[in-house]
Amino acid sequence: MRPMRKTKKPTSGSSSFAISLKSLRAVRQLSLQKLAEESRVSKSMISKIERGDVQPSLDIAVRLAEALHSSVSEMLRHDEYARVIKLERKSQSVVSDANLNWERRLLSPMFKGATLEVLHARVGARVNMGAFPRHPKGTEEYVVVLKGELNISIGGARYSLAEGDSLFFEADKTHALENPAGRPAEYLVIIKH
């Protein structure tokens, strides 16, 4: 008798991403093949994510969200609009990558028509996150370094940020992020759609 293989339990964030992925694909009437072509993610990977067998990397999650005309934050959670929304830490959506020692936590509620995302991120020492895809035209991004250092490259220009520094940029350009220091960095990201 073969031993039962342990599978990684999906986080609440990855499980809501999987539900949103399947739902949005159905609403937009996209086959696995068509979504694979538009997102440049394999059909088998999309299928595994929808079943909750794997948690997508940030790059894959962004490509799928953009192919579905959505954002990763919107796909991670959908709150009902109210004048006051308390979002407890245990209910906040988290996307992480243990290999990169990286975590991104959604602090703001997401509801239909939301135009602002607030995220708290942590990245390990000497980690290069690589390039993030461009956001739709008109999107603005603010980064505030809470601890450590960050290098952000935007359209060929590089900006070094130390603790307490902030950076604003129009996010319709490819941008890359790295922590050049020998200690972890923490930062806030505010995205205005």
Side-chain angles (χ1 to χ4, degrees):
M1 180 180 224
R2 287 169 44 188
M4 190 179 245
R5 196 174 68 165
K6 288 185 180 178
T7 57
K8 184 178 171 187
K9 185 178 177 186
T11 63
S12 61
S14 65
S15 133
S16 63
F17 186 89
I19 292 165
S20 293
L21 175 61
K22 196 171 190 174
S23 170
L24 283 172
R25 188 169 67 80
V27 166
R28 293 189 173 47
Q29 300 179 342
L30 290 175
S31 65
L32 279 173
Q33 179 64 41
K34 184 69 175 163
L35 181 57
E37 290 167 7
E38 291 188 14
S39 65
R40 300 175 329 278
V41 176
S42 72
K43 283 187 345 183
S44 63
M45 176 57 79
I46 295 169
S47 183
K48 286 177 186 175
I49 295 167
E50 284 187 353
R51 288 193 313 266
D53 293 344
V54 297
Q55 180 177 345
S57 67
L58 179 63
D59 178 53
I60 288 174
V62 168
R63 283 191 272 155
L64 288 169
E66 294 203 346
L68 292 165
H69 307 289
S70 187
S71 73
V72 173
S73 297
E74 287 173 334
M75 291 181 69
L76 285 173
R77 68 174 306 113
H78 294 280
D79 299 304
E80 286 193 38
Y81 177 79
R83 290 199 179 271
V84 177
I85 299 173
K86 178 183 177 186
L87 193 55
E88 294 181 353
R89 183 175 175 84
K90 66 183 178 192
S91 301
Q92 296 167 354
S93 297
V94 178
V95 177
S96 62
D97 184 329
N99 294 331
L100 292 178
N101 192 14
W102 172 84
E103 176 184 280
R104 199 168 185 178
R105 175 178 296 275
L106 180 61
L107 302 177
S108 55
M110 292 305 298
F111 45 84
K112 191 173 179 77
T115 58
L116 197 65
E117 291 177 53
V118 180
L119 303 123
H120 177 266
R122 181 187 48 75
V123 62
R126 302 195 201 309
V127 171
N128 185 336
M129 298 289 299
F132 291 87
R134 20 178 121 202
H135 293 285
K137 189 134 184 81
T139 304
E140 298 172 344
E141 194 161 326
Y142 303 79
V143 177
V144 181
V145 178
L146 303 174
K147 292 181 185 173
E149 302 171 34
L150 288 179
N151 287 337
I152 301 177
S153 300
I154 305 162
R158 185 174 141 179
Y159 304 89
S160 295
L161 304 176
E163 198 166 301
D165 290 349
S166 62
L167 182 71
F168 161 82
F169 59 97
E170 294 176 339
D172 59 346
K173 299 169 184 64
T174 301
H175 45 286
L177 186 145
E178 72 170 318
N179 175 3
R183 65 182 179 126
E186 287 185 40
Y187 56 100
L188 288 176
V189 179
I190 300 161
I191 302 171
K192 183 179 175 206
H193 299 283

